[in-house]
Amino acid sequence: MDESLETQSQTLDQENEIVTEGSAVVHGEPSQDGSVPPNVDTEVQVLDEKVSKQIIKEGHGSKPSKYSTCFLHYRAWTKHTQHKFEDTWQEQQPIELVLGKEKKEMAGLAIGVSSMKSGERALLHIGWELGYGKDGNFSFPNVPPMADLLYEVEVIGFDETKEARWIVQGKARSDMTVEERIGAADRRKMDGNNLFKEDKLEEAMQQYEMAIAYMGDDFMFQLYGKYQDMALAVKNPCHLNMAACLIKLKRYDEAIGHCNIVLTEEEKNPKALFRRGKAKAELGQMDSAREDFRKAQKYAPDDNAIRRELRGIAEQEKAVYQKQKEMYKGMFVGREESGGKGKSRNWSIMLWQWLVSLFSRIFGRHRVKAD
């Protein structure tokens, strides 16, 4: 599909190059840990009798028009009990919402999103009449009857180009052919690659997230054979591209999550193993990082970046060992100089403590390998 891009990412050593052979992911971290709604003190904007909005982060550009396909992340709670019933950030899967074509329970959310700009994050207050109604919902998501709702929403972007015109003409995204959806996702991925090269990481991640929205689980489950391969060739590199952006932004846990998605499909993918190893190393998970680098080296034995990372871990551990050795040596010398009856006994205690520390370290490393 994009054979010219294949040659741009020949080695894992090129930190400024993005993976360009196929992948997808998710962006937009929540404003807090997400267990409860965020505290927002901005002005309340009344959008409808049953819908109001408080801006958390300003967006940019224009607002979407009717029949635009909006890509967004959200967390949803019942207002009074603060029971969280849905979280697309946690699922690492943005959703797409077609304004004017939304489900009945999304009517309030659609009113809020129609007032938002790309990149904007807001807290929406929605009355039960424009949510799950008088009866609520007892399947998934589980929402009690007559429950007012809170949504923390971030608009990743919206599509008013060819895809939006198809919707106006009665052809929704779900009615697009496999080739059309994969092609639309691939264009988003390429736009993201260009933004990445300009070091516009947030904007690049928005494009990758919109690409993955075309490749949702409901779509991927229907594919097999060559169509599945075509879709993964776009989807998986977007995940790896997201990981590259997130590592640069020091959001290491999220980067690991994106790499895990790729490794679920391709357990021998050296780029996914390499980037997951880098993120783990930054988090101080040296044993686990070493394992990822060694696996990556197995599938890419000539890669210099992998060798460099393994060498860096070895040198770091050697430095730590030498520091500990000097520290204990100084303690032993101090004990010898102090003399007295307990000299031999104290020396033995220190030696024993050092041995226990050494064996604990070795045992811990073997345990990580066993896991």
Side-chain angles (χ1 to χ4, degrees):
M1 190 183 305
D2 57 355
E3 59 275 358
S4 63
L5 292 176
E6 281 282 351
T7 60
Q8 295 179 17
S9 186
Q10 295 299 320
T11 82
L12 301 170
D13 193 23
Q14 298 171 321
E15 285 304 311
N16 292 325
E17 283 294 335
I18 196 124
V19 183
T20 49
E21 66 283 354
S23 165
V25 155
V26 193
H27 146 69
E29 64 175 349
S31 59
Q32 54 180 31
D33 66 2
S35 58
V36 295
N39 292 319
V40 185
D41 57 6
T42 56
E43 177 187 357
V44 177
Q45 302 176 24
V46 178
L47 308 177
D48 179 89
E49 184 181 353
K50 298 296 180 180
V51 182
S52 60
K53 179 181 81 167
Q54 291 177 281
I55 295 176
I56 299 172
K57 183 184 75 172
E58 295 285 350
H60 54 83
S62 59
K63 298 174 183 178
S65 58
K66 190 174 183 181
Y67 301 118
S68 293
T69 300
C70 302
F71 301 90
L72 53 125
H73 272 302
Y74 65 74
R75 284 178 161 171
W77 299 265
T78 54
K79 188 170 186 176
H80 297 298
T81 64
Q82 296 196 352
H83 160 66
K84 186 174 73 172
F85 60 86
E86 200 165 4
D87 187 342
T88 65
W89 275 295
Q90 189 174 44
E91 296 163 6
Q92 294 196 324
Q93 178 67 57
I95 70 159
E96 55 180 273
L97 179 68
V98 181
L99 299 181
K101 297 279 186 177
E102 68 277 352
K103 297 178 182 178
K104 183 179 178 181
E105 62 269 19
M106 294 289 188
L109 178 63
I111 290 172
V113 171
S114 66
S115 74
M116 298 174 68
K117 300 176 182 179
S118 181
E120 181 178 333
R121 183 182 295 160
L123 183 67
L124 302 179
H125 304 254
I126 298 173
W128 61 266
E129 297 89 343
L130 295 179
Y132 287 85
K134 183 177 180 180
D135 298 327
N137 190 58
F138 291 96
S139 58
F140 178 81
N142 183 9
V143 181
M146 300 178 68
D148 294 335
L149 307 176
L150 291 173
Y151 280 90
E152 180 185 4
V153 183
E154 179 174 355
V155 175
I156 301 167
F158 45 86
D159 217 336
E160 294 187 292
T161 54
K162 185 177 180 181
E163 292 79 16
R165 290 196 296 273
W166 280 336
I167 293 167
V168 174
Q169 296 164 7
K171 186 174 184 181
R173 187 176 305 253
S174 58
D175 297 325
M176 294 166 65
T177 66
V178 171
E179 289 90 345
E180 286 170 343
R181 287 188 74 152
I182 294 174
D186 190 55
R187 288 192 294 275
R188 290 290 184 185
K189 184 194 73 174
M190 293 174 70
D191 289 343
N193 292 348
N194 292 331
L195 289 165
F196 180 90
K197 292 171 184 175
E198 297 173 12
D199 207 31
K200 297 178 180 178
L201 302 181
E202 293 287 350
E203 292 92 334
M205 288 195 294
Q206 288 180 350
Q207 295 300 318
Y208 297 136
E209 284 188 304
M210 284 193 276
I212 193 52
Y214 285 94
M215 304 286 146
D217 291 341
D218 56 338
F219 176 69
M220 295 298 295
F221 286 151
Q222 302 174 40
L223 303 182
Y224 60 90
K226 74 171 186 177
Y227 289 115
Q228 186 179 52
D229 293 340
M230 288 169 61
L232 287 175
V234 175
K235 180 177 179 292
N236 282 348
C238 289
H239 280 294
L240 295 179
N241 298 351
M242 281 291 293
C245 293
L246 290 165
I247 288 172
K248 282 178 170 284
L249 294 171
K250 303 186 186 304
R251 289 158 57 180
Y252 304 117
D253 286 321
E254 293 175 75
I256 290 171
H258 293 308
C259 293
N260 287 340
I261 292 172
V262 176
L263 291 167
T264 300
E265 299 287 347
E266 302 176 44
E267 63 179 354
K268 298 180 180 180
N269 188 302
K271 290 185 176 71
L273 289 164
F274 176 78
R275 291 199 171 144
R276 188 173 73 174
K278 286 204 70 169
K280 288 179 177 179
E282 292 291 346
L283 290 172
Q285 301 170 9
M286 293 305 179
D287 291 332
S288 187
R290 183 192 296 103
E291 289 302 306
D292 278 344
F293 288 137
R294 284 176 176 169
K295 287 179 183 177
Q297 190 173 48
K298 180 179 178 182
Y299 305 122
D302 298 325
D303 192 270
N304 291 327
I306 300 174
R307 291 197 197 100
R308 185 166 60 248
E309 293 295 335
L310 283 169
R311 188 165 56 248
I313 289 177
E315 290 172 353
Q316 184 175 345
E317 290 188 332
K318 183 179 178 181
V320 171
Y321 173 77
Q322 287 296 128
K323 187 175 180 180
Q324 290 180 339
K325 184 178 177 182
E326 291 298 321
M327 180 181 69
Y328 284 114
K329 181 180 177 182
M331 293 174 69
F332 296 153
V333 170
R335 291 294 182 182
E336 288 173 2
E337 290 175 351
S338 66
K341 267 185 166 184
K343 180 177 68 173
S344 177
R345 184 178 164 210
N346 290 338
W347 204 93
S348 299
I349 290 172
M350 290 296 180
L351 179 60
W352 173 250
Q353 289 175 339
W354 182 77
L355 289 172
V356 167
S357 173
L358 181 62
F359 281 120
S360 295
R361 193 162 168 235
I362 293 171
F363 175 76
R365 186 175 301 171
H366 284 299
R367 185 174 60 187
V368 170
K369 289 183 178 179
D371 291 343

